[in-house]
């Protein structure tokens, strides 16, 4: 996960339309990838039936928020990234 140049556990400044790049290697086909902040899901992409997925999703980063990635596989398997924190 890369959020405007920051990785999990790092802090990025608040900004509009920040690029979020996600690379997923699953154990089953990827159903979807969701970007989640304190308010809920703020972006998502569907998988294409493969266990590998590489996507870029732009999202607004609000001050003092956080953002993490949730991966849902077709077999019901789930994974989460550690959050990226948003500063002022």
């Amino acid at each position: 996960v890369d959020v405007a140049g920051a990785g999990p556990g790092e802090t990025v400044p608040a900004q509009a339309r920040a690029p979020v790049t996600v690379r997923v290697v699953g154990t089953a086909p990827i159903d979807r990838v969701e970007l989640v902040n304190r308010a809920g899901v703020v972006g998502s992409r569907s998988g294409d039936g493969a266990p590998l997925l590489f996507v870029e999703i732009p999202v607004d980063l609000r001050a003092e928020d956080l953002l993490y990635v949730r991966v849902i596989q077709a077999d019901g398997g789930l994974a989460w990234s550690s959050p990226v924190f948003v500063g002022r």
Side-chain angles (χ1 to χ4, degrees), residues 68-86:
Y68 67 90
V69 175
R70 178 170 51 211
V71 178
I72 299 115
Q73 294 185 156
D75 67 356
L78 300 170
W80 294 264
S81 73
S82 293
V84 173
F85 302 95
V86 182

Side-chain angles (χ1 to χ4, degrees), residues 7-40:
E10 296 181 326
T11 301
V12 65
Q15 57 191 284
R17 306 300 290 170
V20 178
T21 305
V22 180
R23 180 178 162 256
V24 178
V25 178
T27 57
I30 306 301
D31 183 54
R32 72 183 174 280
V33 170
E34 299 176 332
L35 301 180
V36 182
N37 69 9
R38 294 179 201 268

